[in-house]
Amino acid sequence: SSQAIEVFIGFLFGFGNMFGFVSIGSRNVATLQSHSNTSVNKICREYGHSTMRYTARNMMRCKSVLYCCGDSGDGKSVNSVADGSSRAESEALFLTQAVPGDELVRTISANGQVACKVVKASGLVSGSCSLFRTSPVASAALGRALVCTLLLSTGKKDRETVNIEFRCSGPIKSIVAIANGLGEARGYVGDPKVVLPPNADGKLDVGKAVGKGILAVIRNHPFWKQPYTGLVAISSGEVAEDIAQYLADSEQTPSALGAGVYVNRSGLVEVAGGYLVELLPGCEESTIELVERNIAELGMTPTQLFQAGFSAEEIVEKLMRDLNPMALTTSAPRYKCTCAIDRVKRTIALIKLDE
Protein backbone atom coordinates (compact mmCIF):
# COMPACT_ATOMS: atom_id res chain seq x y z
CA SER A 1 0.00 0.00 0.00
CA SER A 2 1.10 3.53 -0.66
CA GLN A 3 2.87 5.42 2.09
CA ALA A 4 2.15 8.72 0.42
CA ILE A 5 -0.22 10.86 2.43
CA GLU A 6 -1.68 14.26 2.42
CA VAL A 7 -4.36 15.84 4.48
CA PHE A 8 -5.92 19.07 3.44
CA ILE A 9 -7.93 20.55 6.25
CA GLY A 10 -9.47 23.99 6.39
CA PHE A 11 -12.34 25.88 7.85
CA LEU A 12 -13.88 29.07 6.63
CA PHE A 13 -16.00 31.80 8.18
CA GLY A 14 -17.48 29.98 11.15
CA PHE A 15 -18.63 31.85 14.20
CA GLY A 16 -19.30 30.84 17.79
CA ASN A 17 -20.35 27.22 18.00
CA MET A 18 -19.87 26.52 14.28
CA PHE A 19 -16.70 25.04 12.92
CA GLY A 20 -16.09 23.62 9.48
CA PHE A 21 -13.32 22.43 7.24
CA VAL A 22 -12.88 23.94 3.76
CA SER A 23 -15.80 26.20 3.02
CA ILE A 24 -17.06 26.22 -0.53
CA GLY A 25 -20.26 27.78 -1.73
CA SER A 26 -23.19 29.73 -0.39
CA ARG A 27 -24.26 30.51 3.15
CA ASN A 28 -27.07 28.13 3.93
CA VAL A 29 -27.52 24.47 4.53
CA ALA A 30 -29.37 23.83 1.26
CA THR A 31 -26.62 25.31 -0.87
CA LEU A 32 -24.01 23.63 1.35
CA GLN A 33 -25.52 20.31 0.42
CA SER A 34 -25.67 21.33 -3.21
CA HIS A 35 -22.06 22.39 -3.30
CA SER A 36 -20.90 19.34 -1.41
CA ASN A 37 -22.51 17.23 -4.13
CA THR A 38 -21.24 19.32 -7.03
CA SER A 39 -18.29 21.67 -6.56
CA VAL A 40 -16.38 19.70 -3.96
CA ASN A 41 -17.09 16.32 -5.47
CA LYS A 42 -16.10 17.70 -8.87
CA ILE A 43 -12.78 18.85 -7.44
CA CYS A 44 -12.30 15.50 -5.70
CA ARG A 45 -13.04 13.52 -8.87
CA GLU A 46 -10.80 15.74 -10.96
CA TYR A 47 -7.84 15.27 -8.69
CA GLY A 48 -8.54 11.74 -7.51
CA HIS A 49 -9.65 12.60 -4.00
CA SER A 50 -12.64 11.49 -1.99
CA THR A 51 -15.15 13.59 -0.12
CA MET A 52 -15.28 12.29 3.44
CA ARG A 53 -18.12 14.24 5.03
CA TYR A 54 -19.52 17.67 5.62
CA THR A 55 -21.06 19.21 8.71
CA ALA A 56 -23.35 22.15 9.37
CA ARG A 57 -23.26 23.71 12.83
CA ASN A 58 -24.72 27.18 12.30
CA MET A 59 -28.00 27.43 10.40
CA MET A 60 -27.49 31.12 9.68
CA ARG A 61 -24.04 31.14 8.05
CA CYS A 62 -23.02 27.58 7.66
CA LYS A 63 -21.24 25.90 4.82
CA SER A 64 -18.47 23.53 5.78
CA VAL A 65 -16.78 20.59 4.18
CA LEU A 66 -14.01 18.30 5.27
CA TYR A 67 -12.18 16.17 2.81
CA CYS A 68 -9.04 14.14 3.14
CA CYS A 69 -7.08 13.24 0.06
CA GLY A 70 -4.45 10.68 -0.60
CA ASP A 71 -2.08 10.14 -3.48
CA SER A 72 0.85 7.94 -4.30
CA GLY A 73 4.43 8.72 -5.23
CA ASP A 74 7.70 6.92 -5.46
CA GLY A 75 10.16 9.73 -6.06
CA LYS A 76 13.08 10.36 -3.77
CA SER A 77 12.95 13.20 -1.29
CA VAL A 78 14.03 16.45 -2.90
CA ASN A 79 14.64 18.10 0.45
CA SER A 80 16.38 15.43 2.49
CA VAL A 81 19.22 17.08 4.40
CA ALA A 82 21.15 13.82 4.22
CA ASP A 83 21.59 13.95 0.43
CA GLY A 84 25.15 14.35 -0.82
CA SER A 85 26.99 14.42 2.51
CA SER A 86 27.36 12.48 5.72
CA ARG A 87 24.38 12.47 8.04
CA ALA A 88 26.29 14.23 10.83
CA GLU A 89 27.51 17.03 8.55
CA SER A 90 24.07 17.45 7.03
CA GLU A 91 22.37 17.64 10.41
CA ALA A 92 24.91 20.19 11.65
CA LEU A 93 24.20 22.34 8.58
CA PHE A 94 20.45 21.92 8.99
CA LEU A 95 20.64 23.21 12.57
CA THR A 96 22.39 26.44 11.54
CA GLN A 97 20.51 27.66 8.49
CA ALA A 98 17.29 27.44 6.51
CA VAL A 99 16.95 24.79 3.83
CA PRO A 100 17.05 26.31 0.31
CA GLY A 101 13.61 26.29 -1.26
CA ASP A 102 11.66 26.78 1.94
CA GLU A 103 9.76 30.05 2.02
CA LEU A 104 7.15 31.82 4.09
CA VAL A 105 5.15 34.59 2.42
CA ARG A 106 2.52 36.81 3.99
CA THR A 107 0.50 39.86 3.01
CA ILE A 108 -2.60 41.84 3.85
CA SER A 109 -5.24 43.34 1.58
CA ALA A 110 -5.09 47.08 0.96
CA ASN A 111 -8.42 47.59 2.75
CA GLY A 112 -7.09 45.81 5.84
CA GLN A 113 -9.79 43.15 5.80
CA VAL A 114 -7.87 39.97 4.85
CA ALA A 115 -4.51 38.56 5.90
CA CYS A 116 -2.90 35.68 4.02
CA LYS A 117 0.07 33.43 4.84
CA VAL A 118 1.58 30.63 2.79
CA VAL A 119 4.48 28.42 3.85
CA LYS A 120 6.51 25.86 2.01
CA ALA A 121 8.42 23.90 4.63
CA SER A 122 9.49 20.74 2.81
CA GLY A 123 13.12 21.06 3.88
CA LEU A 124 12.32 21.98 7.46
CA VAL A 125 9.92 19.06 7.90
CA SER A 126 12.19 16.60 6.07
CA GLY A 127 15.18 17.67 8.16
CA SER A 128 13.23 17.47 11.41
CA CYS A 129 12.11 13.95 10.60
CA SER A 130 15.67 13.02 9.68
CA LEU A 131 16.93 14.24 13.07
CA PHE A 132 14.50 12.01 14.94
CA ARG A 133 14.59 9.09 12.44
CA THR A 134 10.81 9.12 12.35
CA SER A 135 8.67 6.42 10.82
CA PRO A 136 6.37 7.47 7.93
CA VAL A 137 3.31 7.91 10.14
CA ALA A 138 5.31 9.88 12.71
CA SER A 139 6.75 12.04 9.91
CA ALA A 140 3.26 12.88 8.68
CA ALA A 141 2.06 13.77 12.19
CA LEU A 142 5.10 15.88 13.07
CA GLY A 143 5.12 17.62 9.70
CA ARG A 144 1.49 18.65 9.93
CA ALA A 145 2.05 20.07 13.41
CA LEU A 146 5.13 22.06 12.29
CA VAL A 147 3.35 23.52 9.26
CA CYS A 148 0.32 24.60 11.30
CA THR A 149 2.48 26.08 14.06
CA LEU A 150 4.45 28.15 11.55
CA LEU A 151 1.21 29.47 10.06
CA LEU A 152 -0.16 30.44 13.47
CA SER A 153 3.02 32.16 14.65
CA THR A 154 3.96 34.07 11.49
CA GLY A 155 3.41 37.80 11.85
CA LYS A 156 3.51 37.74 15.63
CA LYS A 157 6.07 39.70 17.61
CA ASP A 158 9.57 38.31 17.12
CA ARG A 159 9.85 36.69 20.54
CA GLU A 160 6.24 35.60 20.79
CA THR A 161 5.89 31.84 20.53
CA VAL A 162 3.09 29.46 19.63
CA ASN A 163 3.35 26.03 21.21
CA ILE A 164 1.07 23.23 19.99
CA GLU A 165 0.89 20.11 22.14
CA PHE A 166 -1.07 16.95 21.46
CA ARG A 167 -1.32 15.12 24.79
CA CYS A 168 -2.72 11.94 23.40
CA SER A 169 -3.51 8.33 24.24
CA GLY A 170 -2.37 6.81 20.95
CA PRO A 171 0.94 4.99 20.39
CA ILE A 172 2.68 8.16 19.23
CA LYS A 173 2.14 9.39 22.83
CA SER A 174 2.57 13.11 22.13
CA ILE A 175 3.28 15.72 19.47
CA VAL A 176 4.93 19.04 20.29
CA ALA A 177 5.67 21.87 17.85
CA ILE A 178 6.90 25.37 18.73
CA ALA A 179 7.45 28.36 16.45
CA ASN A 180 8.04 32.09 16.91
CA GLY A 181 7.40 35.26 14.94
CA LEU A 182 10.74 34.90 13.15
CA GLY A 183 9.69 31.66 11.51
CA GLU A 184 11.94 29.52 13.69
CA ALA A 185 10.36 26.18 14.55
CA ARG A 186 11.14 22.90 16.24
CA GLY A 187 9.18 19.87 17.32
CA TYR A 188 9.16 16.21 18.23
CA VAL A 189 6.86 13.25 18.80
CA GLY A 190 6.75 10.99 21.84
CA ASP A 191 7.49 7.80 19.88
CA PRO A 192 9.21 8.52 16.55
CA LYS A 193 9.35 4.82 15.69
CA VAL A 194 5.62 4.11 15.86
CA VAL A 195 4.49 1.81 13.05
CA LEU A 196 0.85 1.09 12.26
CA PRO A 197 -0.95 -0.67 9.44
CA PRO A 198 -2.57 1.60 6.85
CA ASN A 199 -6.08 2.87 7.49
CA ALA A 200 -9.14 1.73 5.57
CA ASP A 201 -8.14 3.95 2.64
CA GLY A 202 -4.64 2.48 2.50
CA LYS A 203 -3.07 5.66 3.89
CA LEU A 204 -0.91 6.45 6.88
CA ASP A 205 -3.14 6.18 9.94
CA VAL A 206 -2.19 9.36 11.79
CA GLY A 207 -5.57 9.46 13.50
CA LYS A 208 -4.98 6.09 15.14
CA ALA A 209 -1.40 7.02 16.04
CA VAL A 210 -2.67 10.07 17.91
CA GLY A 211 -5.87 8.67 19.37
CA LYS A 212 -7.81 10.74 21.89
CA GLY A 213 -6.72 13.29 24.44
CA ILE A 214 -6.20 17.05 24.72
CA LEU A 215 -4.86 19.61 22.27
CA ALA A 216 -3.20 22.55 24.00
CA VAL A 217 -2.25 25.74 22.14
CA ILE A 218 -0.03 27.99 24.22
CA ARG A 219 0.88 31.54 23.20
CA ASN A 220 3.67 33.16 25.19
CA HIS A 221 6.08 36.09 25.22
CA PRO A 222 8.97 36.81 27.63
CA PHE A 223 7.32 40.09 28.67
CA TRP A 224 3.91 38.62 29.38
CA LYS A 225 2.97 37.94 32.99
CA GLN A 226 1.58 34.56 32.00
CA PRO A 227 0.98 32.64 28.79
CA TYR A 228 -2.39 32.28 27.11
CA THR A 229 -3.47 28.64 26.93
CA GLY A 230 -6.38 27.20 24.98
CA LEU A 231 -7.53 23.59 25.38
CA VAL A 232 -9.83 21.47 23.24
CA ALA A 233 -10.48 17.77 23.05
CA ILE A 234 -8.78 15.91 20.22
CA SER A 235 -11.60 15.01 17.86
CA SER A 236 -9.99 13.15 14.96
CA GLY A 237 -6.28 12.89 15.68
CA GLU A 238 -5.49 14.06 12.14
CA VAL A 239 -3.63 17.08 13.60
CA ALA A 240 -4.70 19.81 11.17
CA GLU A 241 -8.39 19.09 11.66
CA ASP A 242 -7.97 19.38 15.42
CA ILE A 243 -6.09 22.68 15.10
CA ALA A 244 -8.84 24.00 12.84
CA GLN A 245 -11.36 23.03 15.50
CA TYR A 246 -9.30 24.88 18.12
CA LEU A 247 -9.26 28.07 16.05
CA ALA A 248 -13.01 27.98 15.62
CA ASP A 249 -13.91 27.02 19.19
CA SER A 250 -11.31 28.84 21.29
CA GLU A 251 -10.21 31.85 19.24
CA GLN A 252 -13.38 32.20 17.15
CA THR A 253 -11.26 33.42 14.26
CA PRO A 254 -12.90 33.39 10.83
CA SER A 255 -10.19 31.63 8.86
CA ALA A 256 -9.36 29.16 6.14
CA LEU A 257 -6.56 26.72 7.00
CA GLY A 258 -4.93 24.27 4.62
CA ALA A 259 -1.97 22.07 5.55
CA GLY A 260 -0.43 18.96 4.05
CA VAL A 261 2.55 16.59 4.18
CA TYR A 262 3.44 14.20 1.36
CA VAL A 263 5.44 11.12 2.35
CA ASN A 264 6.65 9.12 -0.63
CA ARG A 265 6.93 5.34 -1.03
CA SER A 266 10.44 5.43 0.40
CA GLY A 267 9.10 6.90 3.63
CA LEU A 268 10.71 10.31 3.04
CA VAL A 269 8.99 13.66 3.31
CA GLU A 270 8.84 15.01 -0.22
CA VAL A 271 6.60 18.07 0.16
CA ALA A 272 5.14 19.92 3.13
CA GLY A 273 3.32 23.22 3.34
CA GLY A 274 0.08 25.06 3.79
CA TYR A 275 -1.77 28.33 3.95
CA LEU A 276 -3.84 30.39 6.37
CA VAL A 277 -6.32 33.09 5.28
CA GLU A 278 -7.80 35.20 8.07
CA LEU A 279 -10.68 37.67 8.00
CA LEU A 280 -9.88 40.77 10.00
CA PRO A 281 -12.38 42.92 11.96
CA GLY A 282 -14.72 44.87 9.73
CA CYS A 283 -14.51 42.49 6.80
CA GLU A 284 -17.29 43.16 4.28
CA GLU A 285 -19.54 40.58 2.65
CA SER A 286 -18.12 41.35 -0.79
CA THR A 287 -14.64 40.57 0.51
CA ILE A 288 -15.82 37.30 2.05
CA GLU A 289 -17.27 36.25 -1.29
CA LEU A 290 -13.96 36.93 -3.07
CA VAL A 291 -12.03 34.88 -0.53
CA GLU A 292 -14.50 32.00 -0.83
CA ARG A 293 -14.23 32.11 -4.60
CA ASN A 294 -10.42 32.15 -4.57
CA ILE A 295 -10.18 29.17 -2.24
CA ALA A 296 -12.74 27.19 -4.23
CA GLU A 297 -10.89 27.91 -7.46
CA LEU A 298 -7.55 26.66 -6.16
CA GLY A 299 -8.65 23.19 -7.21
CA MET A 300 -5.64 21.54 -5.57
CA THR A 301 -4.42 20.89 -2.07
CA PRO A 302 -1.34 22.77 -0.76
CA THR A 303 1.16 20.01 -1.49
CA GLN A 304 -0.30 19.40 -4.93
CA LEU A 305 0.19 23.08 -5.70
CA PHE A 306 3.84 22.87 -4.67
CA GLN A 307 4.32 19.65 -6.62
CA ALA A 308 2.82 21.36 -9.66
CA GLY A 309 5.57 23.98 -9.44
CA PHE A 310 3.75 26.87 -7.77
CA SER A 311 5.79 28.95 -5.35
CA ALA A 312 4.47 30.28 -2.05
CA GLU A 313 4.27 33.74 -3.61
CA GLU A 314 2.20 32.46 -6.51
CA ILE A 315 -0.20 30.69 -4.14
CA VAL A 316 -0.63 33.95 -2.20
CA GLU A 317 -1.48 35.68 -5.47
CA LYS A 318 -4.14 33.03 -6.18
CA LEU A 319 -5.66 33.36 -2.71
CA MET A 320 -5.62 37.17 -2.82
CA ARG A 321 -6.85 37.64 -6.40
CA ASP A 322 -8.95 40.81 -6.74
CA LEU A 323 -8.26 41.66 -3.09
CA ASN A 324 -5.52 44.19 -3.90
CA PRO A 325 -2.78 42.71 -1.67
CA MET A 326 -0.04 44.97 -0.37
CA ALA A 327 3.66 44.24 -0.77
CA LEU A 328 4.58 40.68 0.11
CA THR A 329 6.78 39.92 3.12
CA THR A 330 9.03 36.93 2.49
CA SER A 331 11.20 34.99 4.91
CA ALA A 332 12.79 31.58 5.18
CA PRO A 333 11.45 29.30 7.93
CA ARG A 334 14.11 27.25 9.65
CA TYR A 335 14.58 24.68 12.36
CA LYS A 336 16.02 26.14 15.54
CA CYS A 337 16.46 24.40 18.85
CA THR A 338 17.25 26.38 22.00
CA CYS A 339 18.79 23.42 23.81
CA ALA A 340 22.38 23.90 25.05
CA ILE A 341 24.82 21.90 27.13
CA ASP A 342 24.84 24.64 29.80
CA ARG A 343 21.09 24.30 30.27
CA VAL A 344 21.46 20.55 30.64
CA LYS A 345 24.18 21.02 33.23
CA ARG A 346 22.05 23.44 35.25
CA THR A 347 19.15 21.02 35.18
CA ILE A 348 21.30 18.10 36.34
CA ALA A 349 22.79 20.27 39.09
CA LEU A 350 19.34 20.51 40.67
CA ILE A 351 19.07 16.72 41.03
CA LYS A 352 20.18 15.12 44.28
CA LEU A 353 23.42 13.15 44.08
CA ASP A 354 21.77 9.84 44.98
CA GLU A 355 19.31 10.32 42.13
Side-chain angles (χ1 to χ4, degrees):
S1 61
S2 170
Q3 289 181 330
I5 187 70
E6 176 180 303
V7 170
F8 171 48
I9 307 290
F11 70 92
L12 188 57
F13 313 130
F15 293 88
N17 66 341
M18 188 279 285
F19 68 87
F21 310 89
V22 186
S23 293
I24 297 178
S26 186
R27 294 185 183 79
N28 55 68
V29 175
T31 52
L32 165 65
Q33 294 170 339
S34 173
H35 279 274
S36 70
N37 292 328
T38 55
S39 301
V40 179
N41 281 338
K42 180 179 178 182
I43 292 172
C44 290
R45 288 196 302 271
E46 183 177 356
Y47 294 97
H49 308 324
S50 58
T51 302
M52 300 290 287
R53 61 185 172 90
Y54 62 89
T55 59
R57 295 297 182 90
N58 187 314
M59 301 298 288
M60 297 299 295
R61 292 185 58 87
C62 181
K63 64 277 176 229
S64 53
V65 179
L66 160 66
Y67 63 94
C68 301
C69 17
D71 199 354
S72 61
D74 53 8
K76 294 183 178 179
S77 172
V78 296
N79 293 294
S80 174
V81 298
D83 292 347
S85 62
S86 71
R87 188 177 211 112
E89 292 173 346
S90 298
E91 290 179 354
L93 185 63
F94 172 73
L95 292 172
T96 58
Q97 64 184 42
V99 178
D102 283 3
E103 55 182 344
L104 202 162
V105 181
R106 57 188 174 90
T107 188
I108 187 172
S109 61
N111 62 10
Q113 296 180 9
V114 181
C116 180
K117 311 170 189 177
V118 175
V119 61
K120 181 180 182 182
S122 305
L124 188 154
V125 172
S126 178
S128 301
C129 294
S130 177
L131 286 175
F132 294 103
R133 280 63 164 174
T134 51
S135 65
V137 68
S139 295
L142 176 59
R144 295 175 195 175
L146 286 169
V147 167
C148 291
T149 307
L150 281 167
L151 289 169
L152 293 183
S153 64
T154 301
K156 305 296 183 183
K157 296 179 181 179
D158 291 351
R159 299 179 67 185
E160 183 177 342
T161 60
V162 175
N163 182 350
I164 292 177
E165 298 181 11
F166 282 80
R167 306 164 184 172
C168 48
S169 62
I172 205 168
K173 299 179 181 179
S174 63
I175 307 172
V176 176
I178 306 170
N180 59 26
L182 296 173
E184 298 170 336
R186 62 190 186 274
Y188 65 90
V189 296
D191 183 1
K193 305 300 182 183
V194 60
V195 176
L196 293 172
N199 61 21
D201 297 321
K203 310 304 179 182
L204 296 173
D205 201 345
V206 175
K208 186 174 181 180
V210 173
K212 299 299 181 181
I214 297 295
L215 165 62
V217 179
I218 305 165
R219 298 182 184 272
N220 198 10
H221 190 282
F223 296 151
W224 293 357
K225 292 183 178 180
Q226 60 184 21
Y228 167 80
T229 302
L231 301 173
V232 295
I234 296 173
S235 60
S236 72
E238 295 292 339
V239 180
E241 179 181 345
D242 297 296
I243 294 172
Q245 179 180 335
Y246 161 79
L247 288 172
D249 290 356
S250 294
E251 298 194 3
Q252 298 184 7
T253 303
S255 307
L257 170 66
V261 176
Y262 183 95
V263 181
N264 65 23
R265 293 182 184 274
S266 300
L268 301 175
V269 174
E270 189 169 325
V271 181
Y275 66 75
L276 177 63
V277 182
E278 299 174 295
L279 296 188
L280 304 179
C283 186
E284 300 172 352
E285 284 294 315
S286 58
T287 301
I288 294 175
E289 292 173 358
L290 288 174
V291 174
E292 288 181 321
R293 181 205 66 187
N294 292 344
I295 293 174
E297 291 181 355
L298 278 180
M300 291 186 284
T301 61
T303 56
Q304 286 177 325
L305 288 166
F306 290 126
Q307 288 177 313
F310 291 99
S311 66
E313 182 175 331
E314 291 171 329
I315 297 174
V316 168
E317 292 174 354
K318 285 178 172 290
L319 291 168
M320 298 292 284
R321 184 164 67 90
D322 296 332
L323 291 169
N324 193 19
M326 300 182 68
L328 304 181
T329 300
T330 303
S331 59
R334 55 161 293 197
Y335 185 96
K336 184 175 182 180
C337 183
T338 58
C339 296
I341 188 63
D342 289 341
R343 294 181 63 183
V344 176
K345 288 179 179 178
R346 289 196 298 269
T347 301
I348 294 177
L350 297 175
I351 303 176
K352 296 180 180 179
L353 186 61
D354 59 353
E355 295 180 354

